[in-house]
Every structure is written in structure tokens, then in C-alpha cells.
Amino acid sequence: MPLDPQAKVMLDALAAAPPFDMEGDINEFRTQFADMGLPSEAIEVAHTEDRSIPGPDGEIPIRIYTPEGEGPHPILVYFHGGGWVIGNIETHDGTCRELCRGASALVISVEYRLAPEHPFPAAPEDCYAATLWAAQEASSLGGDPGRIAVGGDSAGGNLAAVTSLMIRERGGPTLRHQLLIYPVTDCSFETPSYEENAEGYFLTRDMMKWFWGKYLADPQAGDDPLASPLRASDLSGLPSATVITAEFDPLRDEGEHYAKRLKEAHVETRVSRYDGLFHGFFGMGAAMDRARDAVNEAIDALENAFAQ
């Protein structure tokens, strides 16, 4: 179907902005991304706190969002998108606030180490460590250690899927759910959605090749299921999943293929494609009605998982 009219307005505005300089200083690129100034609403939660927690190689910054009401609250450990190279707690503050308030969940946003300074597997190890910490400290935070989910968008969706695999293999808290928002699941660029949406829809094929090139110090590491969870031989025993994709997104097919693999492994999985929308739409609810629909779907999925 054609672009959603509101999505077209947003995409035109993004196209009119200065292009990302991916060949210059990496920190300038990060600043440019952080300063995009996407439309957002002021969303109040009961409390936020920035702190650092122990990680596998130093401290990991996190932000804790606490909802209104009496605890113990369910917990969502959230990993931001940005191709494992850009993005931070601030760029995804609005999304975390929406999920905190909507799902009445304590949200822990994780600022994992970024590539290329810290290539794979630094980010997955940080996310795994943060999820274990959330379970261990749940009670002191006003959270429920028996109701924990992981979630993320794009590269963060990759990290949520990978963290679920790591917890299954290494042990850790029982996860109630994995919220995968247009996740990266495979180090491959040959799907129909990569061909159809190679450029012109905010995230391009060339950008994804660049991100993967920065993330993997060794290109062969792309075969590792902790980099490409779609390549895991066994997806059984994972927590239930919600997979959200966008029609005009290079990552559409690999996200939907991962959802299919989860279903084949008898993992309760819901997959929703948002036709007419493009990669990154989930954080643009102030400008697009369909984006708000997706946020509400994610909130409903979390509430249902936490209620079981």
C-alpha cells in the first residue's frame, strides 16, 4: 500500500534535514542523531533515576522509570536502537516513558557499550548483565522479580532477542516476554524488503551495511546467533514474543522470519506489520496515529504477559 499520509509528511521532513555524516567523526554522527528533535509529548511518570550498575567491563549507565501506583511493579528492561553505534538513554526517553506509564511497569533503560569502540559481543554482554541485575535488585527497586520482560527497537530489538537466548543458555530470571520492535535478526542484505526499501525510507541498506561493519570486528561473527539470532538452530524454550514490523523497512522480512521461526518452535508469538510506515516510526507517535497504535499494541502485549 502507499505510504501513510502522516508518515509521508514525517519522511519528507526527515529527508529535508542535513544528511547523516557517517564518514566523519563518529561522535559528531551520534550528536547529530541525538539532536534530530523528533516530535514528542511530555509524558509524566512517578519517578526517574539515573545510576550506574556493574557490567562485565566497567559500569553500565541506566535510567529507571517508575510508574504511578503501589508496587511491586512488573519490569521491562529496554535496549535502545541505533545500529549498535548511535543512540542512548536520552534518544529513547520518550518511548520508555510511554511504556512505563502505559503498562504500569518499571522500565530500566540500558546504555550498553557502543561500537566501533566496543564491538560485538560487548553490547549483548552488557544487556545480559543488566537483565540479571534487574532481577537481583527488583525488590529494592519496587519491582517484581517474577515479572520481567525485555524489549527494544531495531538494534535494541536484536539485543532483546539475543538476551533472551543468552538467558536460556546461561540461566537467569524467567522472562515473561520479549518485545521486538522492527528487530535486526540477521547479518544479511538479500531479502525482498532490503531490495524494495534499499533507500528512500529513512533507514537504508547502505546504512545497515555500515552499522554491521562497525559492530563486527570480525565479519565472520555475523554467523554467531548472538549477533544474528535468526541463525540460532533452536528457538524453543524462549519467552513469548511480540514482533512489530513496518512495510517500508529493509528489516521487515528478517523480523517476520524470526517471528515465523519462533512460532515453529512453539513459542507464543504475535507479529504485526504496520503497512504504510517506515523504520523508526515507533518513536513518532506524536506525529503519526498509526505509530500510537503500535505503542498501544506493545503496551497491551506487556500487560497481558505480566498478567499471566
Side-chain angles (χ1 to χ4, degrees):
M1 65 179 293
L3 270 172
D4 177 276
Q6 292 176 322
K8 186 178 187 309
V9 170
M10 193 68 216
L11 197 60
D12 288 345
L14 291 168
F20 289 135
D21 181 9
M22 296 186 294
E23 301 307 322
D25 181 83
I26 194 79
N27 288 313
E28 291 183 6
F29 179 24
R30 289 169 179 155
T31 299
Q32 185 184 12
F33 178 74
D35 291 345
M36 283 176 58
L38 296 175
S40 62
E41 300 176 30
I43 299 171
E44 296 296 327
V45 298
H47 182 68
T48 64
E49 178 188 0
D50 290 350
R51 61 191 294 182
S52 294
I53 63 174
D57 188 24
E59 297 288 294
I60 304 171
I62 63 169
R63 178 171 293 169
I64 304 170
Y65 301 81
T66 303
E68 300 285 351
E70 293 294 323
H73 303 287
I75 298 170
L76 171 65
V77 186
Y78 194 86
F79 313 123
H80 67 79
W84 311 281
V85 176
I86 58 178
N88 54 38
I89 287 173
E90 295 296 342
T91 61
H92 287 65
D93 180 73
T95 292
C96 290
R97 287 175 177 271
E98 285 195 292
L99 295 174
C100 171
R101 187 176 69 176
S104 296
L106 192 150
V107 176
I108 300 174
S109 181
V110 181
E111 194 157 300
Y112 52 86
R113 287 172 290 168
L114 297 178
E117 298 93 332
H118 305 284
F120 172 83
E125 293 294 348
D126 283 359
C127 294
Y128 173 73
T131 306
L132 294 188
W133 179 88
Q136 293 163 358
E137 300 296 327
S139 298
S140 67
L141 299 172
D144 182 350
R147 292 187 293 160
I148 299 176
V150 292
D153 60 287
S154 194
N158 168 280
L159 293 169
V162 166
T163 297
S164 299
L165 286 168
M166 295 171 79
I167 285 175
R168 185 193 66 180
E169 295 303 313
R170 300 181 183 181
T174 298
L175 297 178
R176 289 289 186 94
H177 201 65
Q178 47 182 327
L179 173 63
L180 312 180
I181 304 163
Y182 31 76
V184 185
T185 66
D186 195 20
C187 184
S188 174
F189 315 98
E190 308 304 324
T191 61
S193 62
Y194 258 111
E195 295 297 324
E196 297 164 8
N197 308 306
E199 56 185 43
Y201 298 104
F202 186 46
L203 179 68
T204 68
R205 178 169 54 193
D206 286 346
M207 288 174 68
M208 280 306 305
K209 289 181 176 179
W210 185 87
F211 283 135
W212 274 110
K214 297 296 183 185
Y215 185 47
L216 302 178
D218 175 7
Q220 297 302 314
D223 292 331
D224 191 323
L226 298 189
S228 299
L230 189 56
R231 303 190 188 192
S233 60
D234 179 13
L235 296 181
S236 64
L238 293 172
S240 64
T242 298
V243 181
I244 291 174
T245 65
E247 179 182 10
F248 296 103
D249 182 356
L251 306 182
R252 181 194 69 211
D253 291 349
E254 64 194 75
E256 293 176 4
H257 191 186
Y258 194 67
K260 182 174 181 289
R261 288 276 320 279
L262 287 169
K263 289 181 179 180
E264 290 171 347
H266 305 292
V267 175
E268 181 183 348
T269 303
R270 176 184 174 88
V271 57
S272 295
R273 178 192 293 186
Y274 281 78
D275 289 331
L277 301 188
F278 57 91
H279 189 87
F281 78 87
F282 193 84
M284 303 176 186
M288 291 186 281
D289 295 336
R290 291 283 286 148
R292 183 151 299 284
D293 292 342
V295 172
N296 288 336
E297 178 181 357
I299 289 168
D300 288 345
L302 290 170
E303 288 182 323
N304 290 336
F306 290 142
Q308 293 178 6

